[in-house]
Amino acid sequence: MTSTTSTHPILVRTIRGVLQEGSMQVGRFEAAVLLAHVIGKRREYLIAHDDEELSDESVLRFQMLVSLRLAGTPVPYLTGRQEFFGRNFFVDDAVLIPRPDTEVLVEQTLVVAPAAPKVLDLGTGSGCIAVTLALEMPGSTVVATDASEKALVVARKNAEALEAAVEFRSGSWWEAVGDETFDIIVSNPPYIREDDEHLKALGCEPITALTSPENGLADLKAIVAGAMAHLNPNGWLLLEHGYDQGEAVREALLEAGFAAVHTKRDYGDNERVTSGRRPN
Ligand SMILES: C[S@@+](CC[C@H](N)C(=O)[O-])C[C@H]1O[C@@H](n2cnc3c(N)ncnc32)[C@H](O)[C@@H]1O
């Protein structure tokens, strides 16, 4: 009996062939991630199974993903996943793709948090921060908000898949939490200037997750303005911000009456996370 579908050598020749057609603009690493996604395996599988055959359908799907990548779609939107703090999060174009620099915000939170804290994550996006904190701090109570209903759908999906107990609320910044108070408030708000030239490279991600008026500082300032009233005594506010916004955020926290104000640098040695404690 003859098969109606032809087959193709899996790794080296398929990737090389498709990349050549695509003028080599997609790197081999990304290509391997996309091919592994198409066949539903981990990337390492490709290396160990170089002699397996691929169906026509898989090759076509791989070619389509490479074309989309060449057109500028980020790999996580093509595979639907991004790793954050050692866990896989589902992502689509309703949410910002979680960044490694945001892990600094999580690390700093774990350093200052008391046992079993009540935590608020403002602007949760994919839920990466809220879900990670809920799982890393047993006994914590985590509330997460977003103004985007579509983002909240993604965040809920991640909390469910990773079995994290997070309560999600819809609303703009402080509106979503009334007069409730917390031990820890974290946020990675939009902080890119509206005229920033780097935005061109981020065209697939939701603009509402990226930019903020007033040189990128408007949302950071809105969060600082309401934070003291929503923190328990000795509670901490931790904010991710742009590499050149550390001084402005420290000033805003000091003006609002925060103590122990300091900034942590990210893995690229840029000022990235500024925190402060509500005095007793
Ligand atoms: C930079 S993204 C961060 C997403 C996620 N926390 C992360 O670190 O990957 C900012 C998030 O804030 C949300 N956001 C923007 N304006 C908001 C507002 N006024 N109130 C609440 N959330 C808002 C966006 O929808 C987006 O999900």
Side-chain angles (χ1 to χ4, degrees):
M1 198 172 78
T2 48
S3 162
T4 51
T5 54
S6 57
T7 55
H8 306 264
I10 191 167
L11 176 62
V12 179
R13 267 180 283 164
T14 300
I15 288 185
R16 194 180 294 146
V18 172
L19 291 190
Q20 272 164 2
E21 281 168 28
S23 70
M24 303 298 278
Q25 305 250 322
V26 173
R28 288 179 66 85
F29 175 82
E30 287 191 343
V33 170
L34 294 176
L35 183 54
H37 171 68
V38 165
I39 62 169
K41 305 281 187 195
R42 296 175 67 86
R43 200 172 49 85
E44 298 74 32
Y45 180 94
L46 301 182
I47 298 157
H49 297 80
D50 196 22
D51 52 348
E52 272 190 32
E53 301 282 313
L54 286 174
S55 66
D56 282 347
E57 192 197 341
S58 293
V59 174
L60 278 175
R61 279 190 62 209
F62 177 56
Q63 283 168 332
M64 191 190 72
L65 292 182
V66 168
S67 304
L68 289 167
R69 180 69 197 107
L70 285 168
T73 307
V75 170
Y77 287 159
L78 296 174
T79 60
R81 47 179 263 186
Q82 173 69 16
E83 191 181 313
F84 183 81
F85 222 81
R87 298 181 181 90
N88 272 318
F89 284 79
F90 167 74
V91 290
D92 66 18
D93 61 7
V95 297
L96 187 91
I97 297 163
R99 304 294 204 273
D101 289 338
T102 303
E103 294 182 356
V104 177
L105 178 63
V106 170
E107 283 164 1
Q108 278 309 105
T109 305
L110 296 177
V111 168
V112 299
K118 187 172 175 193
V119 180
L120 173 64
D121 172 26
L122 290 168
T124 198
S126 63
C128 60
I129 300 171
V131 166
T132 303
L133 291 176
L135 294 173
E136 295 291 326
M137 297 193 291
S140 57
T141 305
V142 182
V143 174
T145 75
D146 210 289
S148 159
E149 293 293 342
K150 284 186 180 169
L152 287 170
V153 170
V154 174
R156 283 197 181 92
K157 187 168 168 172
N158 280 318
E160 202 179 320
L162 292 165
E163 297 182 26
V166 178
E167 186 193 328
F168 293 100
R169 301 201 194 148
S170 174
S172 181
W173 302 138
W174 300 110
E175 284 168 26
V177 291
D179 55 7
E180 222 169 307
T181 60
F182 301 84
D183 302 310
I184 299 283
I185 297 172
V186 295
S187 185
N188 172 19
Y191 56 69
I192 301 177
R193 284 204 327 252
E194 289 162 312
D195 60 353
D196 192 310
E197 58 176 24
H198 297 104
L199 282 172
K200 280 184 228 133
L202 304 172
C204 291
E205 295 182 87
I207 192 76
T208 47
L210 296 171
T211 61
S212 189
E214 295 178 44
N215 288 331
L217 290 165
D219 289 298
L220 283 159
K221 285 182 180 169
I223 291 170
V224 173
M228 205 60 103
H230 290 87
L231 275 171
N232 295 327
N234 286 317
W236 284 86
L237 172 66
L238 300 103
L239 296 170
E240 178 172 330
H241 51 71
Y243 70 96
D244 55 355
Q245 293 171 330
E247 193 178 341
V249 176
R250 283 191 297 277
E251 244 170 53
L253 260 70
L254 288 168
E255 263 176 39
F258 280 90
V261 173
H262 70 286
T263 301
K264 270 276 167 191
R265 289 177 180 267
D266 61 23
Y267 306 124
D269 205 26
N270 296 306
E271 289 198 329
R272 187 60 65 192
V273 173
T274 294
S275 52
R277 181 174 48 78
R278 182 192 146 158
N280 212 335

